[in-house]
């Protein structure tokens, strides 16, 4: 069963919002767009894997966790997917690469040939083996009884042509996504000794979920984009125009005439992705183009955001879902009406 769903990477959400809130003439606009396209392709690959794990996802005897970021000795490591069973832990690394992908163990690299260009990457097997060592250290540190860990590199792009530099090179753990379930089931037949009870498996799974620390980055850290460069205002949900105007308790688009009661919610989510998840009433007014402190307060209260501080110095925390099933749900269902 699925113990942790895959979430839309924060970098994807950040880049998407950034493209809408930077002028297209910005020097970094094309770079951000290219980075976004690469990350979206990688994420699509991961979703492909999830699709092909559908059958075993129903199996109550294994726990599947997607998209983990864990800390060991002050450093973080990431795992695309993990299958926990009482017999073995299977660590999966997803590669979504188009073109001819050649594995070269002699130089410990992978070379991708695509549209006439050659590009070198880290060897995926070395990469996944490194993750295995990190996970092993993590499990030991958490005092989890010893259990074998095995790895799979899953190629999710249908068009990838897999190749090796020498015919002698064999990579049994590099597989195509269509074969992933079959391979997992076959691995389970070769690990017969029970190392953990299923109760312990559930506990390890819960611990992994608890210890997962999503990577949160801001444009200033990645691209050096300052607060002043980011366009403020509420975006029109119909035509994406920026900014909408606040009139008689709702938002009105000066371009298409569209109206919205809660377009400020997605604007505040943009704020959290671009400028941080803490916001004050003053910052809300500046970002949403509001003059009234009272209106800003009503908006914040209507969203039921957790807050800290005293009356004149309250900071609110903007939370958002990156779970694909919840990502585009607005908070309006539990919102109080705004005047
Ligand atoms: Zn509009």
């Amino acid at each position: 069963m699925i113990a942790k769903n895959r979430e839309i990477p924060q970098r994807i959400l950040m880049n998407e919002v950034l493209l809408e809130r930077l002028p297209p003439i910005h020097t970094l606009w094309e770079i951000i767009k290219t980075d976004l396209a690469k990350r979206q392709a990688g994420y699509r690959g991961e979703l492909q894997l999830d699709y092909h794990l559908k059958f075993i996802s129903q199996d109550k005897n294994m726990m599947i966790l997607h998209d983990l970021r864990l800390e060991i000795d002050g450093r973080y490591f990431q795992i695309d997917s993990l299958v926990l069973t009482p017999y073995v832990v299977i660590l999966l690394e997803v590669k979504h690469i188009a073109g001819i992908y050649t594995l070269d163990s002699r130089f410990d690299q992978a070379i991708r040939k695509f549209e006439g260009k050659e590009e070198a990457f880290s060897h995926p097997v070395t990469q996944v083996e490194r993750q295995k060592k990190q996970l092993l250290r993590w499990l030991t540190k958490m005092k989890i009884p010893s259990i074998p860990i095995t790895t799979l590199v899953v190629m999710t792009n249908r068009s990838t042509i897999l190749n090796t530099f020498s015919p002698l090179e064999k990579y049994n753990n590099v597989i195509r996504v269509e074969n992933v379930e079959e391979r997992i089931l076959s691995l389970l037949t070769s690990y017969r000794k029970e190392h953990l009870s299923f109760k312990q498996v559930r506990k390890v799974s819960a611990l992994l979920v608890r210890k997962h620390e999503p990577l949160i980055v801001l444009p200033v850290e990645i691209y050096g984009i300052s607060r002043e460069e980011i366009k403020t205002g509420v975006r029109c949900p119909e035509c994406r125009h920026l900014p909408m105007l606040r009139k008689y308790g709702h938002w009105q688009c000066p371009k298409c005439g569209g109206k919205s009661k809660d377009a400020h919610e997605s604007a505040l989510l943009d704020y959290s992705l671009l400028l941080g998840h803490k916001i004050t009433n003053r910052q809300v007014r500046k970002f949403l183009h509001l003059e009234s402190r009272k209106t800003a307060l009503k908006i914040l209260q209507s969203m039921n955001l957790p807050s800290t501080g005293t009356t004149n110095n309250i900071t609110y925390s903007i939370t958002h879902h990156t779970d694909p099933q919840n990502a585009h749900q607005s908070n309006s269902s539990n919102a109080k009406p705004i005047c």
Side-chain angles (χ1 to χ4, degrees), residues 148-162:
I149 304 175
T150 188
T151 60
L152 289 176
V153 173
V154 187
M155 306 302 299
T156 51
N157 194 320
R158 280 174 190 276
S159 70
T160 314
I161 298 166
L162 272 165

Side-chain angles (χ1 to χ4, degrees), residues 91-154:
L91 194 159
L92 296 99
E93 166 69 16
V94 176
K95 291 287 167 220
H96 191 76
I97 288 170
I100 302 169
Y101 189 61
T102 307
L103 300 174
D104 173 13
S105 65
R106 190 175 156 225
F107 292 113
D108 199 21
Q109 63 181 351
I111 298 157
R112 189 265 291 262
K113 206 176 192 177
F114 183 60
E115 292 177 343
K117 273 193 275 178
E118 276 193 329
E119 211 180 331
F121 295 87
S122 323
H123 199 299
V125 174
T126 312
Q127 207 185 339
V128 80
E129 287 302 314
R130 193 182 309 126
Q131 290 168 359
K132 175 180 160 176
K133 282 182 195 153
Q134 287 163 319
L135 179 65
L136 190 62
R137 272 166 57 212
W138 191 89
L139 293 170
T140 310
K141 196 180 168 190
M142 294 295 154
K143 300 193 168 49
I144 310 296
S146 162
I147 181 163
I149 304 175
T150 188
T151 60
L152 289 176
V153 173
V154 187

Side-chain angles (χ1 to χ4, degrees), residues 246 249 261 264 298-299 301-302 332 334-339:
R246 184 85 182 161
K261 266 212 160 310
H264 53 262
K298 278 182 179 165
I299 279 178
Q301 286 174 341
S302 76
S332 55
N334 54 11
K336 292 173 196 158
I338 303 165
C339 304

